[in-house]
Coordinates of all heavy atoms in Angstrom, one line a residue:
D1 N -25.5 95.5 -34.2 CA -26.9 95.6 -34.1 C -27.5 94.1 -34.3 O -27.2 93.5 -35.2 CB -27.5 96.5 -35.1 CG -29.0 96.7 -35.0 OD1 -29.4 97.0 -33.9 OD2 -29.7 96.5 -36.0
I2 N -28.3 93.7 -33.4 CA -28.8 92.3 -33.4 C -29.7 92.1 -34.6 O -29.7 91.0 -35.2 CB -29.6 92.0 -32.1 CG1 -29.9 90.5 -32.0 CG2 -30.9 92.8 -32.0 CD1 -28.8 89.6 -31.8
V3 N -30.4 93.1 -35.1 CA -31.3 92.9 -36.2 C -30.4 92.6 -37.5 O -30.7 91.8 -38.3 CB -32.2 94.1 -36.4 CG1 -33.0 94.0 -37.7 CG2 -33.2 94.3 -35.3
E4 N -29.3 93.4 -37.6 CA -28.5 93.2 -38.8 C -27.8 91.8 -38.7 O -27.6 91.1 -39.7 CB -27.4 94.2 -38.8 CG -27.9 95.6 -39.2 CD -26.8 96.6 -39.2 OE1 -25.6 96.2 -39.3 OE2 -27.1 97.8 -39.0
E5 N -27.5 91.3 -37.5 CA -26.9 90.0 -37.4 C -27.9 88.9 -37.8 O -27.5 88.0 -38.5 CB -26.5 89.8 -35.9 CG -25.7 88.6 -35.7 CD -25.2 88.4 -34.3 OE1 -24.9 89.5 -33.6 OE2 -25.2 87.3 -33.8
V6 N -29.1 89.1 -37.4 CA -30.1 88.0 -37.8 C -30.4 88.0 -39.3 O -30.6 87.0 -39.9 CB -31.4 88.3 -37.0 CG1 -32.5 87.4 -37.5 CG2 -31.2 88.0 -35.5
I7 N -30.4 89.2 -39.9 CA -30.8 89.2 -41.3 C -29.5 89.1 -42.2 O -29.7 89.0 -43.4 CB -31.6 90.4 -41.7 CG1 -30.8 91.7 -41.4 CG2 -32.9 90.4 -41.0 CD1 -31.5 93.0 -41.9
H8 N -28.4 89.1 -41.7 CA -27.1 88.9 -42.4 C -27.1 87.6 -43.2 O -27.5 86.6 -42.6 CB -25.9 89.1 -41.5 CG -24.7 89.2 -42.2 ND1 -24.0 88.1 -42.7 CD2 -24.0 90.3 -42.6 CE1 -22.9 88.5 -43.3 NE2 -22.8 89.9 -43.2
P9 N -26.7 87.6 -44.4 CA -26.7 86.3 -45.2 C -26.0 85.2 -44.6 O -26.3 84.0 -44.7 CB -26.1 86.7 -46.6 CG -26.1 88.2 -46.6 CD -26.2 88.7 -45.2
E10 N -24.9 85.5 -43.9 CA -24.1 84.4 -43.3 C -24.9 83.7 -42.1 O -24.6 82.6 -41.8 CB -22.8 84.9 -42.8 CG -21.8 85.3 -43.9 CD -21.5 84.1 -44.8 OE1 -21.2 83.0 -44.3 OE2 -21.6 84.3 -46.1
Y11 N -25.8 84.5 -41.5 CA -26.6 83.9 -40.4 C -27.4 82.7 -41.0 O -27.4 81.6 -40.3 CB -27.5 84.9 -39.9 CG -28.4 84.5 -38.7 CD1 -27.8 84.4 -37.4 CD2 -29.7 84.1 -38.9 CE1 -28.5 83.9 -36.4 CE2 -30.4 83.7 -37.8 CZ -29.8 83.6 -36.5 OH -30.6 83.1 -35.5
S12 N -28.0 82.8 -42.1 CA -28.7 81.7 -42.7 C -27.8 80.5 -43.0 O -28.2 79.4 -42.7 CB -29.3 82.2 -44.1 OG -29.9 81.1 -44.7
N13 N -26.6 80.7 -43.4 CA -25.7 79.6 -43.6 C -25.3 78.9 -42.3 O -25.2 77.7 -42.2 CB -24.4 80.1 -44.3 CG -24.6 80.5 -45.8 OD1 -25.6 80.1 -46.4 ND2 -23.8 81.4 -46.2
H14 N -25.1 79.7 -41.3 CA -24.8 79.2 -40.0 C -26.0 78.3 -39.4 O -25.7 77.2 -38.9 CB -24.5 80.3 -39.0 CG -24.3 79.9 -37.6 ND1 -23.2 79.1 -37.2 CD2 -25.1 80.0 -36.5 CE1 -23.3 78.8 -35.9 NE2 -24.4 79.4 -35.5
I15 N -27.2 78.8 -39.6 CA -28.3 78.0 -39.1 C -28.4 76.7 -39.9 O -28.7 75.6 -39.3 CB -29.6 78.8 -39.3 CG1 -29.6 80.0 -38.3 CG2 -30.9 78.0 -39.1 CD1 -29.6 79.6 -36.9
Q16 N -28.2 76.8 -41.2 CA -28.3 75.5 -42.0 C -27.2 74.6 -41.6 O -27.5 73.4 -41.5 CB -28.1 75.9 -43.5 CG -29.3 76.6 -44.1 CD -29.1 77.0 -45.6 OE1 -28.0 77.0 -46.0 NE2 -30.2 77.3 -46.2
S17 N -26.0 75.0 -41.4 CA -24.9 74.2 -41.0 C -25.2 73.6 -39.6 O -25.0 72.4 -39.4 CB -23.6 75.0 -40.9 OG -22.6 74.2 -40.4
M18 N -25.7 74.4 -38.7 CA -26.0 73.9 -37.4 C -27.1 72.8 -37.4 O -27.0 71.8 -36.7 CB -26.5 75.1 -36.5 CG -26.5 74.8 -35.0 SD -26.7 76.4 -34.1 CE -28.3 76.9 -34.7
M19 N -28.2 73.0 -38.2 CA -29.2 72.1 -38.3 C -28.7 70.8 -39.0 O -29.1 69.7 -38.5 CB -30.4 72.6 -39.1 CG -31.2 73.6 -38.4 SD -31.9 73.0 -36.8 CE -33.0 71.7 -37.4
K20 N -27.9 70.9 -39.9 CA -27.3 69.7 -40.6 C -26.5 68.9 -39.6 O -26.7 67.6 -39.5 CB -26.4 70.1 -41.8 CG -25.9 68.9 -42.5 CD -25.1 69.4 -43.7 CE -24.5 68.2 -44.5 NZ -23.8 68.6 -45.7
T21 N -25.7 69.5 -38.8 CA -24.9 68.8 -37.7 C -25.9 68.2 -36.7 O -25.7 67.0 -36.4 CB -24.0 69.8 -37.0 OG1 -23.1 70.4 -38.0 CG2 -23.2 69.1 -35.9
Y22 N -26.9 68.9 -36.3 CA -27.9 68.4 -35.3 C -28.6 67.2 -35.9 O -28.7 66.1 -35.2 CB -28.9 69.5 -35.0 CG -30.0 69.1 -34.1 CD1 -29.8 69.1 -32.7 CD2 -31.2 68.7 -34.6 CE1 -30.8 68.7 -31.9 CE2 -32.2 68.3 -33.7 CZ -32.0 68.4 -32.4 OH -33.0 68.0 -31.5
L23 N -29.1 67.2 -37.1 CA -29.9 66.1 -37.7 C -29.0 64.9 -38.0 O -29.5 63.8 -38.0 CB -30.6 66.6 -38.9 CG -31.6 67.7 -38.7 CD1 -32.2 68.2 -40.0 CD2 -32.8 67.1 -37.8
N24 N -27.7 65.1 -38.3 CA -26.8 64.0 -38.6 C -26.2 63.3 -37.3 O -25.6 62.3 -37.4 CB -25.7 64.4 -39.5 CG -26.3 64.6 -40.9 OD1 -27.2 64.0 -41.3 ND2 -25.7 65.6 -41.6
S25 N -26.5 63.9 -36.2 CA -25.9 63.4 -34.9 C -26.8 62.3 -34.3 O -28.0 62.5 -34.2 CB -25.7 64.5 -33.9 OG -25.4 64.0 -32.7
D26 N -26.2 61.2 -34.0 CA -27.0 60.1 -33.4 C -27.5 60.5 -32.0 O -28.5 60.0 -31.5 CB -26.1 58.8 -33.2 CG -25.9 58.2 -34.5 OD1 -26.7 58.4 -35.5 OD2 -24.9 57.4 -34.6
D27 N -26.8 61.5 -31.4 CA -27.2 62.0 -30.0 C -28.6 62.6 -30.0 O -29.2 62.6 -29.0 CB -26.2 63.0 -29.5 CG -24.8 62.4 -29.3 OD1 -24.7 61.2 -29.1 OD2 -23.9 63.2 -29.3
H28 N -29.1 63.0 -31.1 CA -30.4 63.7 -31.2 C -31.5 62.9 -31.8 O -32.6 63.4 -32.0 CB -30.2 65.0 -32.0 CG -29.2 65.9 -31.4 ND1 -29.4 66.6 -30.2 CD2 -28.0 66.3 -31.8 CE1 -28.3 67.3 -29.9 NE2 -27.4 67.1 -30.8
R29 N -31.2 61.6 -32.0 CA -32.3 60.7 -32.5 C -32.9 60.1 -31.3 O -32.3 59.3 -30.6 CB -31.7 59.7 -33.5 CG -31.1 60.4 -34.7 CD -30.5 59.4 -35.6 NE -29.9 60.2 -36.7 CZ -29.1 59.7 -37.6 NH1 -28.8 58.4 -37.6 NH2 -28.6 60.4 -38.6
D30 N -34.1 60.4 -31.1 CA -34.8 60.0 -29.8 C -36.0 59.1 -30.0 O -36.8 58.8 -29.1 CB -35.2 61.2 -29.0 CG -36.0 62.2 -29.7 OD1 -36.3 62.0 -30.9 OD2 -36.4 63.3 -29.1
V31 N -36.2 58.7 -31.3 CA -37.3 57.7 -31.5 C -36.9 56.8 -32.7 O -36.1 57.2 -33.6 CB -38.6 58.5 -31.9 CG1 -38.5 59.3 -33.2 CG2 -39.8 57.6 -31.9
T32 N -37.4 55.6 -32.7 CA -37.2 54.7 -33.8 C -38.5 54.4 -34.4 O -39.5 54.0 -33.8 CB -36.6 53.4 -33.2 OG1 -35.3 53.7 -32.6 CG2 -36.3 52.4 -34.3
L33 N -38.5 54.5 -35.8 CA -39.7 54.1 -36.5 C -39.5 52.7 -37.0 O -38.5 52.3 -37.5 CB -39.8 55.0 -37.8 CG -39.9 56.5 -37.5 CD1 -40.0 57.3 -38.8 CD2 -41.1 56.9 -36.6
V34 N -40.5 51.8 -36.7 CA -40.4 50.4 -37.1 C -41.4 50.3 -38.3 O -42.6 50.5 -38.2 CB -40.9 49.5 -36.0 CG1 -40.8 48.0 -36.4 CG2 -40.1 49.7 -34.7
C35 N -40.8 50.1 -39.5 CA -41.6 50.1 -40.7 C -42.2 48.7 -40.9 O -41.9 47.7 -40.3 CB -40.7 50.4 -41.9 SG -39.9 52.0 -41.7
A36 N -43.2 48.7 -41.8 CA -44.0 47.5 -42.1 C -43.1 46.4 -42.6 O -43.4 45.2 -42.4 CB -45.1 47.8 -43.1
D37 N -42.0 46.7 -43.3 CA -41.1 45.7 -43.8 C -40.0 45.3 -42.8 O -39.1 44.6 -43.2 CB -40.5 46.2 -45.2 CG -39.9 47.6 -45.0 OD1 -39.7 48.1 -43.9 OD2 -39.5 48.2 -46.1
G38 N -40.2 45.8 -41.6 CA -39.2 45.4 -40.5 C -38.0 46.2 -40.4 O -37.3 46.1 -39.4
H39 N -37.8 47.2 -41.3 CA -36.6 48.1 -41.1 C -36.8 49.1 -40.0 O -38.0 49.5 -39.7 CB -36.4 48.8 -42.4 CG -35.8 47.9 -43.5 ND1 -36.6 47.2 -44.4 CD2 -34.5 47.7 -43.8 CE1 -35.8 46.6 -45.2 NE2 -34.5 46.8 -44.9
L40 N -35.7 49.4 -39.4 CA -35.8 50.4 -38.3 C -35.1 51.7 -38.8 O -34.1 51.7 -39.4 CB -35.0 49.9 -37.1 CG -35.4 48.6 -36.5 CD1 -34.5 48.2 -35.3 CD2 -36.8 48.6 -36.1
V41 N -35.8 52.8 -38.5 CA -35.3 54.1 -38.9 C -35.2 55.0 -37.6 O -36.2 55.3 -37.0 CB -36.2 54.8 -39.9 CG1 -35.7 56.2 -40.3 CG2 -36.4 53.9 -41.2
S42 N -34.0 55.5 -37.3 CA -33.8 56.4 -36.2 C -34.2 57.8 -36.6 O -33.8 58.2 -37.7 CB -32.3 56.4 -35.7 OG -31.9 55.1 -35.2
A43 N -34.8 58.5 -35.7 CA -35.3 59.8 -36.1 C -35.4 60.7 -34.9 O -35.1 60.3 -33.8 CB -36.7 59.7 -36.8
N44 N -35.8 61.9 -35.1 CA -35.9 63.0 -34.1 C -37.4 63.4 -34.0 O -38.0 63.7 -35.0 CB -35.0 64.2 -34.4 CG -35.1 65.3 -33.5 OD1 -36.1 66.0 -33.5 ND2 -34.2 65.4 -32.6
K45 N -37.9 63.3 -32.8 CA -39.3 63.6 -32.6 C -39.6 65.0 -33.0 O -40.7 65.3 -33.6 CB -39.7 63.5 -31.1 CG -39.7 62.0 -30.6 CD -40.1 62.0 -29.2 CE -39.9 60.6 -28.6 NZ -40.2 60.6 -27.2
W46 N -38.7 66.0 -32.7 CA -39.0 67.4 -33.1 C -39.1 67.5 -34.6 O -40.0 68.2 -35.1 CB -37.9 68.2 -32.5 CG -38.0 69.7 -32.8 CD1 -38.8 70.6 -32.2 CD2 -37.3 70.4 -33.8 NE1 -38.6 71.8 -32.8 CE2 -37.7 71.7 -33.8 CE3 -36.3 70.0 -34.8 CZ2 -37.2 72.7 -34.7 CZ3 -35.8 71.0 -35.6 CH2 -36.3 72.3 -35.6
V47 N -38.2 66.9 -35.3 CA -38.3 67.0 -36.8 C -39.5 66.4 -37.3 O -40.2 66.9 -38.2 CB -37.0 66.4 -37.4 CG1 -37.1 66.4 -38.9 CG2 -35.8 67.2 -37.0
L48 N -39.8 65.1 -36.9 CA -41.0 64.5 -37.3 C -42.3 65.3 -37.0 O -43.2 65.4 -37.8 CB -41.1 63.1 -36.7 CG -40.0 62.1 -37.1 CD1 -40.2 60.8 -36.3 CD2 -40.1 61.8 -38.6
S49 N -42.3 65.9 -35.8 CA -43.5 66.7 -35.4 C -43.7 67.9 -36.3 O -44.8 68.3 -36.6 CB -43.3 67.2 -34.0 OG -43.3 66.1 -33.1
S50 N -42.6 68.4 -36.8 CA -42.7 69.6 -37.7 C -43.3 69.2 -39.1 O -43.8 70.1 -39.8 CB -41.3 70.3 -37.9 OG -40.4 69.5 -38.6
Y51 N -43.2 68.0 -39.4 CA -43.8 67.5 -40.7 C -45.1 66.8 -40.6 O -45.8 66.7 -41.6 CB -42.8 66.5 -41.4 CG -41.6 67.2 -42.0 CD1 -40.4 67.3 -41.3 CD2 -41.7 67.8 -43.3 CE1 -39.3 68.0 -41.9 CE2 -40.6 68.4 -43.9 CZ -39.4 68.5 -43.2 OH -38.3 69.2 -43.7
S52 N -45.5 66.4 -39.4 CA -46.7 65.6 -39.3 C -47.5 66.0 -38.0 O -47.0 65.8 -36.9 CB -46.4 64.1 -39.2 OG -47.5 63.4 -38.8
S53 N -48.7 66.5 -38.2 CA -49.5 66.9 -37.0 C -49.9 65.6 -36.3 O -50.1 65.6 -35.1 CB -50.7 67.7 -37.4 OG -51.5 66.9 -38.3
I54 N -50.1 64.5 -37.0 CA -50.4 63.2 -36.3 C -49.3 62.8 -35.4 O -49.5 62.4 -34.2 CB -50.7 62.1 -37.4 CG1 -52.0 62.5 -38.1 CG2 -50.8 60.7 -36.7 CD1 -52.2 61.6 -39.4
L55 N -48.1 62.8 -35.9 CA -46.9 62.5 -35.0 C -46.7 63.5 -33.9 O -46.4 63.2 -32.8 CB -45.7 62.3 -35.8 CG -45.6 61.1 -36.7 CD1 -44.4 61.1 -37.6 CD2 -45.7 59.8 -35.9
Q56 N -47.0 64.8 -34.2 CA -46.9 65.8 -33.2 C -47.8 65.5 -32.0 O -47.5 65.6 -30.9 CB -47.1 67.2 -33.8 CG -47.0 68.3 -32.7 CD -47.4 69.6 -33.3 OE1 -48.1 69.7 -34.3 NE2 -46.8 70.7 -32.8
N57 N -49.1 65.2 -32.4 CA -50.1 64.8 -31.3 C -49.6 63.6 -30.5 O -49.8 63.5 -29.3 CB -51.4 64.6 -32.0 CG -52.0 65.9 -32.5 OD1 -51.7 67.0 -32.0 ND2 -52.9 65.8 -33.4
L58 N -49.1 62.6 -31.2 CA -48.6 61.4 -30.6 C -47.5 61.7 -29.6 O -47.5 61.3 -28.4 CB -48.1 60.4 -31.6 CG -47.5 59.1 -31.1 CD1 -48.6 58.2 -30.4 CD2 -46.9 58.3 -32.2
F59 N -46.5 62.5 -30.0 CA -45.3 62.8 -29.2 C -45.7 63.7 -28.0 O -44.9 63.6 -27.0 CB -44.2 63.4 -30.0 CG -43.7 62.5 -31.1 CD1 -43.2 63.0 -32.3 CD2 -43.6 61.1 -30.9 CE1 -42.7 62.2 -33.3 CE2 -43.1 60.3 -31.9 CZ -42.7 60.8 -33.1
T60 N -46.7 64.5 -28.1 CA -47.1 65.3 -27.0 C -48.1 64.7 -26.1 O -48.4 65.2 -25.0 CB -47.6 66.7 -27.5 OG1 -48.7 66.4 -28.4 CG2 -46.5 67.5 -28.2
D61 N -48.6 63.5 -26.4 CA -49.5 62.8 -25.6 C -48.7 62.2 -24.3 O -47.7 61.6 -24.5 CB -50.1 61.6 -26.3 CG -51.1 60.8 -25.6 OD1 -51.1 60.7 -24.3 OD2 -52.1 60.3 -26.2
P62 N -49.2 62.6 -23.1 CA -48.5 62.1 -21.9 C -48.3 60.6 -21.8 O -47.3 60.1 -21.2 CB -49.4 62.6 -20.8 CG -50.2 63.7 -21.4 CD -50.4 63.4 -22.8
T63 N -49.2 59.8 -22.4 CA -49.1 58.4 -22.3 C -47.9 57.9 -23.2 O -47.5 56.7 -23.1 CB -50.4 57.7 -22.7 OG1 -50.7 58.0 -24.1 CG2 -51.5 58.1 -21.8
F64 N -47.4 58.7 -24.1 CA -46.4 58.3 -25.1 C -45.0 58.8 -24.6 O -44.0 58.3 -25.1 CB -46.6 58.9 -26.5 CG -45.6 58.4 -27.5 CD1 -45.8 57.2 -28.1 CD2 -44.5 59.2 -27.8 CE1 -44.9 56.7 -29.1 CE2 -43.6 58.7 -28.8 CZ -43.8 57.5 -29.4
Q65 N -44.9 59.6 -23.6 CA -43.7 60.2 -23.2 C -42.5 59.3 -23.0 O -41.4 59.6 -23.3 CB -43.9 61.0 -21.9 CG -44.6 62.3 -22.2 CD -44.7 63.2 -20.9 OE1 -44.5 62.7 -19.8 NE2 -45.2 64.4 -21.1
N66 N -42.7 58.1 -22.5 CA -41.6 57.1 -22.3 C -41.5 56.1 -23.4 O -40.8 55.1 -23.2 CB -41.8 56.4 -20.9 CG -41.7 57.4 -19.8 OD1 -40.9 58.3 -19.8 ND2 -42.5 57.3 -18.8
Q67 N -42.1 56.3 -24.5 CA -42.0 55.4 -25.6 C -40.9 55.8 -26.6 O -40.8 57.0 -26.8 CB -43.4 55.3 -26.4 CG -44.5 54.9 -25.5 CD -44.4 53.5 -25.0 OE1 -44.0 52.6 -25.7 NE2 -44.7 53.3 -23.7
F68 N -40.2 54.9 -27.1 CA -39.1 55.2 -28.0 C -39.3 54.6 -29.4 O -38.4 54.8 -30.2 CB -37.8 54.8 -27.4 CG -37.6 55.5 -26.1 CD1 -37.8 54.8 -24.9 CD2 -37.2 56.8 -26.0 CE1 -37.5 55.4 -23.7 CE2 -37.0 57.4 -24.8 CZ -37.1 56.7 -23.6
C69 N -40.4 53.9 -29.6 CA -40.6 53.3 -30.9 C -42.0 53.6 -31.4 O -43.0 53.7 -30.6 CB -40.5 51.7 -30.8 SG -38.9 51.1 -30.6
V70 N -42.1 53.9 -32.7 CA -43.4 54.0 -33.4 C -43.5 53.0 -34.4 O -42.6 52.9 -35.3 CB -43.5 55.4 -34.0 CG1 -44.8 55.6 -34.7 CG2 -43.4 56.5 -32.9
H71 N -44.5 52.1 -34.3 CA -44.7 51.1 -35.3 C -45.6 51.6 -36.5 O -46.7 52.0 -36.3 CB -45.4 49.8 -34.7 CG -44.5 49.2 -33.7 ND1 -43.6 48.2 -34.0 CD2 -44.2 49.5 -32.4 CE1 -42.9 47.8 -32.9 NE2 -43.3 48.6 -31.9
M72 N -45.0 51.7 -37.6 CA -45.6 52.2 -38.8 C -46.1 51.0 -39.6 O -45.5 50.5 -40.6 CB -44.6 53.0 -39.7 CG -43.8 54.0 -38.9 SD -44.7 55.4 -38.4 CE -44.6 56.4 -39.8
L73 N -47.2 50.4 -39.2 CA -47.7 49.1 -39.7 C -48.1 49.1 -41.2 O -48.0 48.1 -41.8 CB -48.9 48.7 -38.9 CG -48.7 48.5 -37.4 CD1 -50.0 48.2 -36.7 CD2 -47.6 47.5 -37.1
Q74 N -48.4 50.2 -41.8 CA -48.8 50.3 -43.2 C -47.8 51.0 -44.1 O -48.0 51.2 -45.2 CB -50.1 51.0 -43.3 CG -51.2 50.5 -42.4 CD -52.2 49.6 -43.1 OE1 -52.3 49.6 -44.3 NE2 -52.8 48.6 -42.3
I75 N -46.6 51.4 -43.5 CA -45.7 52.2 -44.2 C -44.3 51.4 -44.4 O -43.8 51.0 -43.4 CB -45.5 53.5 -43.5 CG1 -46.8 54.3 -43.4 CG2 -44.4 54.4 -44.3 CD1 -46.8 55.5 -42.7
S76 N -43.9 51.3 -45.6 CA -42.6 50.6 -45.8 C -41.4 51.6 -45.6 O -41.6 52.8 -45.6 CB -42.5 50.1 -47.3 OG -42.4 51.1 -48.2
C77 N -40.3 51.1 -45.4 CA -39.1 51.9 -45.2 C -38.8 52.9 -46.4 O -38.4 54.0 -46.2 CB -37.9 51.0 -45.0 SG -36.4 51.9 -44.5
K78 N -39.1 52.5 -47.6 CA -38.9 53.3 -48.8 C -39.8 54.5 -48.7 O -39.4 55.6 -49.2 CB -39.2 52.5 -50.0 CG -38.1 51.5 -50.3 CD -38.4 50.8 -51.6 CE -37.4 49.7 -51.9 NZ -37.6 49.0 -53.1
S79 N -40.9 54.5 -48.1 CA -41.8 55.6 -48.0 C -41.4 56.6 -46.9 O -41.7 57.8 -47.0 CB -43.2 55.1 -47.6 OG -43.8 54.3 -48.6
V80 N -40.6 56.1 -46.0 CA -40.1 57.0 -44.9 C -38.9 57.8 -45.4 O -38.7 58.9 -45.3 CB -39.7 56.2 -43.7 CG1 -39.1 57.1 -42.6 CG2 -40.9 55.5 -43.1

């Protein structure tokens, strides 16, 4: 039964494992944050969007679609 499969405790572990693999893979990092201190941080737009409505709006803006860097002029790498 699909409902039992979804609520089964191992399903949660599988999702966590899958997300960890996804987030640790360089293949899924599609944006670079350029921090105020000059450090570069590779990230995933989807993950950033889930934490910040400002970044979500930026990433969904058609004028940003081909951009791969976000300059964080007031934010140091330690804050990211």
Side-chain angles (χ1 to χ4, degrees):
D1 183 55
I2 190 71
V3 174
E4 288 179 24
E5 188 176 325
V6 171
I7 61 174
H8 191 275
E10 290 303 312
Y11 183 78
S12 175
N13 293 336
H14 174 69
I15 293 295
Q16 288 177 346
S17 174
M18 198 169 60
M19 285 302 297
K20 184 177 180 180
T21 300
Y22 177 84
L23 294 175
N24 287 328
S25 170
D26 288 337
D27 294 336
H28 301 290
R29 295 179 185 171
D30 54 359
V31 66
T32 299
L33 304 178
V34 182
C35 301
D37 52 11
H39 286 90
L40 304 178
V41 178
S42 295
N44 178 279
K45 290 179 187 177
W46 179 78
V47 173
L48 295 174
S49 294
S50 69
Y51 284 96
S52 167
S53 61
I54 293 170
L55 290 174
Q56 180 181 29
N57 290 336
L58 177 68
F59 297 146
T60 57
D61 184 328
T63 59
F64 186 82
Q65 285 183 348
N66 295 322
Q67 303 296 318
F68 301 103
C69 288
V70 176
H71 294 268
M72 313 286 278
L73 301 177
Q74 309 261 333
I75 301 173
S76 71
C77 186
K78 288 182 182 181
S79 299
V80 176

